[in-house]
Amino acid sequence: MLKIRRMAGALVAVVVGIALVVLALLLLLAGRPIVPDRLAAAAVVVQAPGSRSPAEAFPPTVPWSAARTEELRRELTALPGVEAAIADRSFYVQALVDGRPPAVAGQRQDTSEGHGWSSARLGGLSLVAGAEPRGPGEVVVDRALGFRPGDPVTLLTATGPVRYTVTGLVDAPGYLVADEVAAELAPGVRAIGLVLGADADPSAVAAAARGIVGTGGRVLSGDERGALEPRDDARARWIGMQALTGVATLAGFVTVFVVASTFAFTVAQRRRELGLLRAVGATPRQVRRMVYGEALLVGVVGAVLGIVVGAAAAPIVARILVGGGFEPATYEVRYGPLPFLVALALGPMVALLGAWSAARRAARVRPLEALREAAVEQRSMGRTRWVVGGLLLALGTVLAIGTATADDAQDGATLALYSAMALITGMVALAPAAVRPIVRLLRLPFRRGGGAIGLLVREGATTAARRTASTAAPVLLTVAFAVLVAGMVRTSTAAYAAGRAAGVDAGHVLVPDRTPGMSDAAVAAVPGAAMLPSTVFAAENGSGPGLRAWSVLGVDTAAFARADRGARVVAGSLGDLGGGDTAVVTESVRRGVGDAYPVVFADGERVSLRVVAVVADRSVRADLLLSRETVRRHDPSALTSAIYLPGGGDAVPGAPAGTGARVIDVATWAAEADSSEDRLVWLFTLMLIGVSAGYGAIAVANTLLMAAQGRGADLRVMRLAGATRRQVAGYVAAESALVVLIGAVLGGVVAFGALVSIRAGLSQQVGAAVELVVPWSVVGGVVGLCLLLALLAGVLPTRRMLRERAIRMPS
């Protein structure tokens, strides 16, 4: 029974760890792209060719021009088995309800997209009321918006509000207009869907379509059509995968950590038992085999139970991920054998790995240990432990600095996770050396307030420094990880907001209001200030086949040349920018003044631009500058992201009513600029903290329960020496509180040291002073949880043991 109690903590740790791994694997496998609903009825889809973009994880496809689209459509329609080849055109549009776009949770991309009526056939859509749109000014909308056929509706487009009449309703988000209207609003096409006859073979049709398209596109069928999912969904799915990978990695690390600490503590408590085994003839190999056998049993049982728990929790967590924005609405869990096979192998492996160090220590127990009555440690720290601990702390510090200088937020989060692992492991290795100094710092309050109890607590902790450090290790893990990760995220968020605000010479900012961007009507109040972003595609010198996506800003050429926009001119003159065939490029484009530069615009048209100036990289917020008229002509759906407004108070122009825009101050804009991604990262952080805190709770309770069960003889001596039950319980409570305090101090040292390094790196990165944000609520919550669990795990078993021995110990 005692052995089962000793292994209970390790078993729970393995169960939770394997459950998290199974859960993460099931969710990761479910994270494959899904065919968008609006293209589900097209058995074969021809997608425009892809592009390359070092700064974009999901680069856009290169659109076909209207002429090329019509040519492909005719050829594809003629294929055997094809009933129709439909060009799917997408453009920005939103309905205005009471002067504003309706609020949509998560601002889904399909709620602000319009398509031609023929695209309804690609998704199998049919009218639930009314009739199809037949000309300009007519639209079919989602029934959920509350309109009825015949109602007038104001639609916000890239140029501004336009009056339409609702002719019909469907049960799907988005807007459907006449095909000729869609061709004007979205001349470039990125997908052509093929509707097949009942007897057609999709594989044969796809093969024939590839012969027509060649290298000018991709032919997708079956599950391959998942590549057509919206880029917003793809990015949300990718962020979710990063979060799940981090949780699985942390689960494996902390499981090994908890199992190792459990077995190490168990071996320390069983030294006399192990010494007795050695005295009766057991060899070191047999002792190791015994410990490994116990670990293997824990691993197998824990793996089976973990599989059951993880599989049952997967659908519930999937719904939470969708609600939190980590996954798109199409996310669905699918069960397969791979996660379960991995878990069955991983459970025993993790348990054996955690017990490795404890087994080696158990094999070194000498037969004379059976005769020892005192548990005085001969040496708390060895040379190897010093070296390993120091190296891990150095590695963790380097990784902590790397989190601040990483170019990508997710890369920074990954480095932060590895940094936390290295720093925590290093501090755990060096913890025995820190026990005595910390206890000495606390000596005065313990001596004054505790009397004999304080003396016993202090001397017991310093005499058995390794045991004290092992008991405090779970607290160290929980506090250090929670404070480090939460502080890193909060400090980084504040730093990037400060950097954005410092780089803007304005008092207020005009920003979108429930829209993905602002229309021309919204920015008309600030003539010359609005920059219209878009994307062009062009070859990159010496970078292989295919076109690269380049970011473009359409500017008011006269106003831009007059104003000081911070553009550092390397060659040429900004004053020469004008007309539809001139461009200003950055140095990374690698084009000189006077060079011809052919590009493909968003409408699929290829135009040769003439370079009139070269500016330094990062001195403008794009790769190319063109005239605003040129960008609008080739990209009818382009939207302005923000406009900086000088001055303040009454001098600030208000946002035009009914245009989907609002005016906010710079500080608010800087905080909201990446609010969606910041929210996802913070949710990711809370998931990691929840995992680490949950494991910490298990480890704290398990370690102190084992400690209390092994202290029966000590407590009996205290009672025989005259201590009352209350004094004994107070001694255990004080010892538990001291352990939590030691763990919290060591964890805080690890976390705050790393946070200082992160702040220094962030200050250099954003070019502004960065304030260290300490998550005091997280610190208080985690330390309070550990203290509560420690007191319960220490005092409750003690009170039970005292009641059981009441007859043998006089009052």
Short mmCIF file of all heavy atoms in Angstrom, two decimals, residues 661-683:
data_model
loop_
_atom_site.label_atom_id
_atom_site.label_comp_id
_atom_site.label_asym_id
_atom_site.label_seq_id
_atom_site.Cartn_x
_atom_site.Cartn_y
_atom_site.Cartn_z
N ALA A 661 -15.27 53.68 -40.44
CA ALA A 661 -14.01 54.20 -39.92
C ALA A 661 -14.26 54.91 -38.60
O ALA A 661 -15.38 55.33 -38.30
CB ALA A 661 -13.37 55.15 -40.92
N ARG A 662 -13.21 55.05 -37.80
CA ARG A 662 -13.29 55.77 -36.54
C ARG A 662 -11.94 56.40 -36.23
O ARG A 662 -10.91 55.96 -36.75
CB ARG A 662 -13.72 54.84 -35.39
CG ARG A 662 -12.74 53.71 -35.14
CD ARG A 662 -13.32 52.65 -34.21
NE ARG A 662 -12.41 51.52 -34.06
CZ ARG A 662 -11.71 51.26 -32.96
NH1 ARG A 662 -11.82 52.05 -31.90
NH2 ARG A 662 -10.90 50.23 -32.90
N VAL A 663 -11.93 57.42 -35.37
CA VAL A 663 -10.71 58.12 -34.98
C VAL A 663 -10.35 57.75 -33.55
O VAL A 663 -11.19 57.82 -32.65
CB VAL A 663 -10.89 59.65 -35.11
CG1 VAL A 663 -9.63 60.37 -34.62
CG2 VAL A 663 -11.18 60.03 -36.55
N ILE A 664 -9.11 57.34 -33.34
CA ILE A 664 -8.62 57.00 -32.00
C ILE A 664 -7.27 57.66 -31.80
O ILE A 664 -6.63 58.10 -32.77
CB ILE A 664 -8.50 55.47 -31.80
CG1 ILE A 664 -7.57 54.87 -32.85
CG2 ILE A 664 -9.87 54.81 -31.87
CD1 ILE A 664 -7.33 53.37 -32.69
N ASP A 665 -6.81 57.75 -30.55
CA ASP A 665 -5.50 58.32 -30.29
C ASP A 665 -4.41 57.30 -30.62
O ASP A 665 -4.66 56.11 -30.78
CB ASP A 665 -5.38 58.79 -28.83
CG ASP A 665 -5.61 57.65 -27.84
OD1 ASP A 665 -4.70 56.81 -27.67
OD2 ASP A 665 -6.72 57.58 -27.27
N VAL A 666 -3.18 57.81 -30.70
CA VAL A 666 -2.07 56.97 -31.14
C VAL A 666 -1.81 55.83 -30.16
O VAL A 666 -1.52 54.69 -30.58
CB VAL A 666 -0.79 57.82 -31.32
CG1 VAL A 666 0.43 56.93 -31.54
CG2 VAL A 666 -0.95 58.77 -32.49
N ALA A 667 -1.92 56.11 -28.86
CA ALA A 667 -1.66 55.06 -27.88
C ALA A 667 -2.66 53.91 -28.04
O ALA A 667 -2.29 52.73 -27.99
CB ALA A 667 -1.72 55.63 -26.47
N THR A 668 -3.92 54.25 -28.25
CA THR A 668 -4.94 53.21 -28.46
C THR A 668 -4.67 52.45 -29.74
O THR A 668 -4.79 51.22 -29.80
CB THR A 668 -6.34 53.83 -28.49
OG1 THR A 668 -6.56 54.55 -27.28
CG2 THR A 668 -7.41 52.77 -28.65
N TRP A 669 -4.32 53.17 -30.80
CA TRP A 669 -4.00 52.51 -32.07
C TRP A 669 -2.82 51.55 -31.91
O TRP A 669 -2.85 50.42 -32.42
CB TRP A 669 -3.68 53.56 -33.13
CG TRP A 669 -3.02 52.97 -34.34
CD1 TRP A 669 -3.62 52.33 -35.38
CD2 TRP A 669 -1.61 52.97 -34.62
NE1 TRP A 669 -2.69 51.92 -36.30
CE2 TRP A 669 -1.44 52.30 -35.86
CE3 TRP A 669 -0.49 53.46 -33.97
CZ2 TRP A 669 -0.19 52.12 -36.44
CZ3 TRP A 669 0.76 53.28 -34.54
CH2 TRP A 669 0.90 52.62 -35.76
N ALA A 670 -1.78 52.00 -31.21
CA ALA A 670 -0.60 51.16 -31.03
C ALA A 670 -0.94 49.89 -30.26
O ALA A 670 -0.42 48.81 -30.55
CB ALA A 670 0.50 51.93 -30.30
N ALA A 671 -1.85 50.00 -29.29
CA ALA A 671 -2.23 48.83 -28.51
C ALA A 671 -3.15 47.90 -29.29
O ALA A 671 -3.13 46.68 -29.09
CB ALA A 671 -2.93 49.27 -27.22
N GLU A 672 -3.95 48.45 -30.21
CA GLU A 672 -4.91 47.64 -30.96
C GLU A 672 -4.36 47.12 -32.27
O GLU A 672 -4.99 46.27 -32.90
CB GLU A 672 -6.17 48.47 -31.26
CG GLU A 672 -7.00 48.82 -30.05
CD GLU A 672 -8.25 49.58 -30.42
OE1 GLU A 672 -8.40 49.92 -31.63
OE2 GLU A 672 -9.07 49.85 -29.54
N ALA A 673 -3.19 47.61 -32.71
CA ALA A 673 -2.69 47.28 -34.05
C ALA A 673 -2.58 45.78 -34.26
O ALA A 673 -2.93 45.27 -35.33
CB ALA A 673 -1.34 47.96 -34.28
N ASP A 674 -2.10 45.07 -33.29
CA ASP A 674 -1.97 43.61 -33.39
C ASP A 674 -2.81 42.92 -32.32
O ASP A 674 -2.43 41.87 -31.80
CB ASP A 674 -0.50 43.19 -33.25
CG ASP A 674 0.32 43.62 -34.44
OD1 ASP A 674 -0.22 43.60 -35.56
OD2 ASP A 674 1.51 43.96 -34.26
N SER A 675 -3.96 43.54 -31.98
CA SER A 675 -4.74 43.02 -30.87
C SER A 675 -5.24 41.60 -31.12
O SER A 675 -5.29 40.78 -30.20
CB SER A 675 -5.94 43.94 -30.59
OG SER A 675 -6.76 44.06 -31.75
N SER A 676 -5.60 41.30 -32.36
CA SER A 676 -6.09 39.95 -32.66
C SER A 676 -5.00 38.91 -32.42
O SER A 676 -5.23 37.90 -31.74
CB SER A 676 -6.59 39.88 -34.10
OG SER A 676 -7.03 38.58 -34.41
N GLU A 677 -3.80 39.17 -32.96
CA GLU A 677 -2.71 38.22 -32.75
C GLU A 677 -2.26 38.21 -31.31
O GLU A 677 -1.92 37.16 -30.76
CB GLU A 677 -1.54 38.56 -33.68
CG GLU A 677 -0.41 37.55 -33.60
CD GLU A 677 0.60 37.73 -34.72
OE1 GLU A 677 0.23 38.22 -35.80
OE2 GLU A 677 1.77 37.38 -34.51
N ASP A 678 -2.24 39.40 -30.65
CA ASP A 678 -1.87 39.45 -29.24
C ASP A 678 -2.84 38.62 -28.39
O ASP A 678 -2.43 37.96 -27.43
CB ASP A 678 -1.87 40.90 -28.75
CG ASP A 678 -0.72 41.70 -29.34
OD1 ASP A 678 0.24 41.08 -29.83
OD2 ASP A 678 -0.80 42.94 -29.32
N ARG A 679 -4.12 38.66 -28.75
CA ARG A 679 -5.11 37.88 -28.00
C ARG A 679 -4.83 36.39 -28.14
O ARG A 679 -4.88 35.64 -27.16
CB ARG A 679 -6.51 38.21 -28.51
CG ARG A 679 -7.62 37.47 -27.79
CD ARG A 679 -8.97 37.84 -28.37
NE ARG A 679 -9.07 37.44 -29.76
CZ ARG A 679 -9.46 36.24 -30.16
NH1 ARG A 679 -9.79 35.32 -29.27
NH2 ARG A 679 -9.53 35.95 -31.44
N LEU A 680 -4.52 35.95 -29.36
CA LEU A 680 -4.23 34.54 -29.57
C LEU A 680 -2.98 34.13 -28.82
O LEU A 680 -2.93 33.05 -28.22
CB LEU A 680 -4.06 34.27 -31.07
CG LEU A 680 -5.33 34.38 -31.93
CD1 LEU A 680 -5.00 34.07 -33.38
CD2 LEU A 680 -6.43 33.47 -31.43
N VAL A 681 -1.94 34.98 -28.86
CA VAL A 681 -0.71 34.66 -28.16
C VAL A 681 -0.95 34.59 -26.65
O VAL A 681 -0.40 33.71 -25.96
CB VAL A 681 0.39 35.69 -28.49
CG1 VAL A 681 1.61 35.48 -27.61
CG2 VAL A 681 0.79 35.60 -29.95
N TRP A 682 -1.77 35.49 -26.12
CA TRP A 682 -2.05 35.47 -24.68
C TRP A 682 -2.86 34.23 -24.30
O TRP A 682 -2.62 33.61 -23.25
CB TRP A 682 -2.79 36.73 -24.26
CG TRP A 682 -3.07 36.79 -22.78
CD1 TRP A 682 -4.27 36.85 -22.17
CD2 TRP A 682 -2.10 36.77 -21.71
NE1 TRP A 682 -4.13 36.87 -20.80
CE2 TRP A 682 -2.81 36.83 -20.49
CE3 TRP A 682 -0.71 36.73 -21.68
CZ2 TRP A 682 -2.17 36.84 -19.26
CZ3 TRP A 682 -0.07 36.72 -20.44
CH2 TRP A 682 -0.80 36.78 -19.25
N LEU A 683 -3.81 33.84 -25.15
CA LEU A 683 -4.53 32.59 -24.89
C LEU A 683 -3.58 31.40 -24.92
O LEU A 683 -3.70 30.47 -24.11
CB LEU A 683 -5.64 32.41 -25.93
CG LEU A 683 -6.85 33.35 -25.81
CD1 LEU A 683 -7.81 33.13 -26.97
CD2 LEU A 683 -7.57 33.13 -24.49
#
